[in-house]
Amino acid sequence: QVQLVESGGGWVQAGGSLRLSCAASGSIFTINAMGWYRQAPGKQRELVAGITSGGSTNYVDFVKGRFTISRDNAKNTVYLQMNSLKPEDTAVYYCYADIIRDYGGGMRYWGKGSLVTVSS
């Protein structure tokens, strides 16, 4: 079994900061890419940030300069540091991890989602 457990979501005023964490556990051989999607009310799911096993990152334009994605491979954990939060950032945030299992199979796994609410 593999599971991704998210933490760090909650409520914050505009201009504030939050840090999301997502830890993978189970029969894991290795993890390739990890990252975060979000879905706001009435909108499509969008990629927020991704990071490769080698540390290369990419961000959606709206969060560039405000959000930072990082990972700790020893802990199988990906983080999203969110600064200068705006009401438009309000959404459910989902982490993902592309995991190769001990038996050799691989697929993308998803967290259950964490609600981030930014008030003006």
Side-chain angles (χ1 to χ4, degrees), residues 45-107:
R45 184 187 67 173
E46 66 174 349
L47 177 67
V48 178
I51 184 167
T52 69
S53 60
S56 297
T57 61
N58 65 283
Y59 302 89
V60 69
D61 287 344
F62 190 73
V63 309
K64 288 181 178 177
R66 300 188 298 120
F67 290 11
T68 302
I69 187 171
S70 61
R71 63 190 288 169
D72 185 337
N73 291 331
K75 297 181 178 180
N76 288 334
T77 299
V78 62
Y79 305 94
L80 187 66
Q81 178 67 46
M82 303 183 292
N83 299 325
S84 302
L85 282 161
K86 305 174 183 294
E88 304 95 287
D89 295 317
T90 295
V92 177
Y93 285 71
Y94 300 90
C95 65
Y96 70 86
D98 297 336
I99 295 174
I100 306 299
R101 304 290 298 278
D102 289 337
Y103 59 81
M107 64 175 289

Side-chain angles (χ1 to χ4, degrees), residues 9-13 17-18 115-119:
W11 177 91
V12 67
Q13 295 187 60
S17 298
L18 287 173
L115 178 62
V116 171
T117 302
V118 184
S119 299

Side-chain angles (χ1 to χ4, degrees), residues 3-7 21-25 34 36 75-78 95:
Q3 60 179 338
L4 273 58
V5 178
E6 301 181 22
S7 63
S21 299
C22 176
S25 62
M34 306 182 79
W36 300 86
K75 297 181 178 180
N76 288 334
T77 299
V78 62
C95 65

